[in-house]
Amino acid sequence: MSSPPPPPEWEGYFHALLYQVPEEARAFRDKLRRTARLAGFGLLTGGVLISTTDRRERVAELLDGA
């Protein structure tokens, strides 16, 4: 059994996804957070998700439809 590859080396800065979605669009907000977390973003605080690598292509399709 082989071990997983090491994570990519940190470039020294974070990539952030900032969002503000009203309560009326809760389903979209939940889907956005869920998709971003599955893509590798971590929750920094409400409305701010961060990643050590650029993961925008993994959430681009969802954001294009917003």
Side-chain angles (χ1 to χ4, degrees), residues 23-47:
E23 184 61 30
E24 300 83 43
R26 171 178 263 197
F28 174 77
R29 183 182 63 215
D30 292 346
K31 185 175 182 179
L32 172 62
R33 284 194 297 222
R34 185 174 45 257
T35 301
R37 295 296 305 267
L38 290 171
F41 283 89
L43 180 64
L44 182 62
T45 188

Side-chain angles (χ1 to χ4, degrees), residues 2-56:
S2 64
S3 54
E9 190 170 318
W10 188 42
E11 299 170 341
Y13 53 88
F14 293 101
H15 297 265
L17 174 59
L18 310 173
Y19 63 93
Q20 184 175 11
V21 180
E23 184 61 30
E24 300 83 43
R26 171 178 263 197
F28 174 77
R29 183 182 63 215
D30 292 346
K31 185 175 182 179
L32 172 62
R33 284 194 297 222
R34 185 174 45 257
T35 301
R37 295 296 305 267
L38 290 171
F41 283 89
L43 180 64
L44 182 62
T45 188
V48 182
L49 296 156
I50 63 169
S51 174
T52 56
T53 58
D54 185 2
R55 298 173 186 271
R56 90 182 87 172

